[in-house]
Amino acid sequence: MEPEELTEWEQRFVDACLKYAELYKGDKRVKNMIYKSAYLLYNKFQFDNAATQFRAVIAMNPASQQAEYAAQLILDALVVKEDWDSLRTTAKAFYDEKKLGGKVFKTDAYNIYENASFKLIDVTFEKDKDYSKAADAYMGFYEEFRETAKLEKTAKAVNNAAVYYSKSGRVADAVTAREILVEDEKYAGKTKYYYEQVGFLGYDYERIADYDKAAGYYEKLWGLYQERTGKKEKLSDDLVQQAGDAIFSAAVFRKGLGEWQQSITDYNAFVKAYPTDSRVADIKLRVGKIYEEQEQWEDAANAFQEFYAKPPKGSPMHFTYFARLHHGQALSKLGQTSARDKVYADTIKLYNKYVESGGEKGPQTEYVAEMLYTAALPSLATYEAMRIEGKRGVSKKREDAALKKSLEAKTKTYLEVEKSFQEVVNLGAGRWGIAALVALGKTYDNMAKSLRTSDVPSYLTDEQVEFYSMTIEDRAYLQEEKAVSAFKLAIDKSFELTLYNDDSAFATRRLGELRPEDYPGLHEQLVKPRWTSSKSGKKYDIEKSL
């Protein structure tokens, strides 16, 4: 490619040709002489000088055979020099020159113009690394050559444009480019880019928060994957993973869009196709939760029961306890409390066995605590409804017997309730431990109230009534102190765990009622805002400043 020096006689020949052309401009042999001179320069790699003379040949008679040969050699030289910009403009100029070259030449010139246009984009990008500029150039190529270039080339241009638009942050433009490859009938399903562009479209719509379209394209990608696997097509691990991620994301988006049935369909498709994936356990629980949210209790119960009956391989232990808990909750909604109680009882036994064998606490502890708490609630309601009362208008013996009987019944239930909720507290759970402490506080508080409002034997004298009431008050006060202690523990635990809910709120209110001096009601105190000048450092009352 390096220009070579002409020999003495070669140089004389070139000079003679040029001299003849100068002296005899109208001679018909001039064009042939200039062509021969230019051809010699071309073979000596003196492309610039050769091009000047070749262009002179073309100008003399564009329709001549020498002119076509000259044009071909000019283009060939530009290819050798890899001057893609000049090659592009020159090829287009030769193509547009009506008299220059035959049909084959015109076809070749246009193809060179097309190829040089594409190559120029690549070369320019390698120099400036401007993704946005390159993307626009590729789309310009597509617009100009979409009716004439081969499908593979315009598809490649659009694909490159989409990739570069995405890298430059022009997501909307990337979507426009990708939709050509996916939605245009000319390209859809006919290029090697189709499959991946469907997935990228889903991702781009996800990036601009159009989750409906994102889910649609992810589901479309999944359908294509199913078709290809159905044809026993061998797919790369990346494509298999891409399809799985797509249908998983579609399920998440459908759930967020309120399309819960389609979400479950997508989740189930993932589980069926990827049974050993680490996400399967979580997905199965998600499906159960979706049924819960939609109050499809029978489906929820079946989903959770299926999970713990045969836990997915590698699923954490606490997932099984979660499934058992929520299976029981679904059974409760179906009115099957006996079945629920059996599930809870079996789970509690399972947990106790686990702890006895050295198992540590974890999320499963909280789930078991909720089961114990739920099982204890009915007895608390029964207990609170019980009164300590005797009978009026009967003998002293019968009145005493009735009063004793109701007290013993209340006390027995009291001990049972206390034991049940104490078991929850002993588990060391967080939320349900607090709830159980509040329930214990209610239990003690209720006993104090029941004692104070219990029937006084009708046969007592005024002095005896006063003594009796003092004795009852002493016992009630002891229960009230136990209630205060339980409520206080609940609040302390709430602060420790930074967990504030209805239970901690109840405990706070009740403490304020039982011991107003020690536990005054909580209230918010707002600091009066002030404004400070950054220049003077002076402070002003904001009300005055405004």
Side-chain angles (χ1 to χ4, degrees), residues 137-155:
Y138 280 125
M139 285 304 293
F141 180 92
Y142 159 75
E143 293 292 342
E144 183 174 359
F145 297 104
R146 61 180 170 179
E147 300 299 331
T148 56
K150 290 183 179 180
L151 184 71
E152 293 81 2
K153 181 163 287 185
T154 52

Side-chain angles (χ1 to χ4, degrees), residues 187-293:
Y187 297 94
K190 299 174 184 176
T191 74
K192 63 181 181 180
Y193 307 108
Y194 180 65
Y195 185 92
E196 66 177 15
Q197 287 299 337
V198 171
F200 284 135
L201 263 176
Y203 177 66
D204 282 342
Y205 275 115
E206 180 181 344
R207 290 172 69 187
I208 60 177
D210 190 338
Y211 298 116
D212 185 30
K213 286 188 177 180
Y217 279 112
Y218 283 149
E219 287 162 352
K220 185 171 186 174
L221 180 66
W222 177 252
L224 294 173
Y225 168 76
Q226 293 290 84
E227 288 179 12
R228 295 175 73 174
T229 53
K231 295 176 183 177
K232 307 298 182 183
E233 205 175 320
K234 188 175 181 180
L235 303 176
S236 68
D237 292 341
D238 286 343
L239 290 180
V240 173
Q241 184 64 45
Q242 186 183 26
D245 291 341
I247 197 62
F248 179 86
S249 296
V252 173
F253 296 152
R254 292 299 181 197
K255 169 62 169 58
L257 292 166
E259 300 170 11
W260 64 272
Q261 291 170 312
Q262 185 60 47
S263 176
I264 289 176
T265 298
D266 291 345
Y267 274 136
N268 288 339
F270 180 93
V271 170
K272 183 178 180 181
Y274 306 94
T276 60
D277 191 278
S278 61
R279 291 168 284 186
V280 166
D282 179 68
I283 288 172
K284 287 191 171 186
L285 291 183
R286 287 192 191 193
V287 169
K289 288 292 292 178
I290 292 172
Y291 281 130
E292 270 187 347
E293 292 168 5

Side-chain angles (χ1 to χ4, degrees), residues 291-305:
Y291 281 130
E292 270 187 347
E293 292 168 5
Q294 300 303 318
E295 299 184 356
Q296 303 293 312
W297 302 116
E298 187 170 349
D299 289 328
N302 291 337
F304 289 124
Q305 184 177 34

